[in-house]
Amino acid sequence: MSAKLTALYGVISTLFGKNYSVIINNVIKKANKGDKPEGFIIHYLKLRYTNEMEKAMLSAHGVCYEDYKRKHNVRMEVEKKREQDYLNCKRLVADIDSRLHG
């Protein structure tokens, strides 16, 4: 198990850099001791966006993409709101469909 974790550490530190290698190194140390790591790791999102996408995010959710990328709690709130909007639209379509065909 230690060899696999060490290989994973090498790959992830190469892909994501120093910040993540420190976090992963701590997780590996705990795993080697037999301790379970506390929580989980969420990495920084590498999102590309246009000015139009930025305007849409600001108008729809009141959040800019930089905050969305960096802050997990902001992402969760935006995604909860999107999920709720999706469910509301789905119910509305089902209601209209049942009135038309029922």
Side-chain angles (χ1 to χ4, degrees), residues 23 27 36-43 72 75-76:
I23 295 169
V27 171
K36 290 186 178 180
E38 299 158 6
F40 52 92
I41 300 170
I42 298 174
H43 65 83
H72 177 69
R75 283 196 306 268
M76 290 297 101

Side-chain angles (χ1 to χ4, degrees), residues 57-79:
M57 179 69 94
L58 276 170
S59 67
H61 304 288
V63 177
C64 67
Y65 262 100
E66 281 301 313
D67 288 342
Y68 181 81
K69 285 190 329 186
R70 279 189 250 156
K71 299 178 182 175
H72 177 69
N73 59 346
V74 170
R75 283 196 306 268
M76 290 297 101
E77 288 301 316
V78 168
E79 294 307 320

Side-chain angles (χ1 to χ4, degrees), residues 16 22 38 54 56 66 84 92 99:
F16 298 110
V22 171
E38 299 158 6
E54 179 76 25
E66 281 301 313
Q84 192 61 43
L92 182 64
R99 288 182 186 188

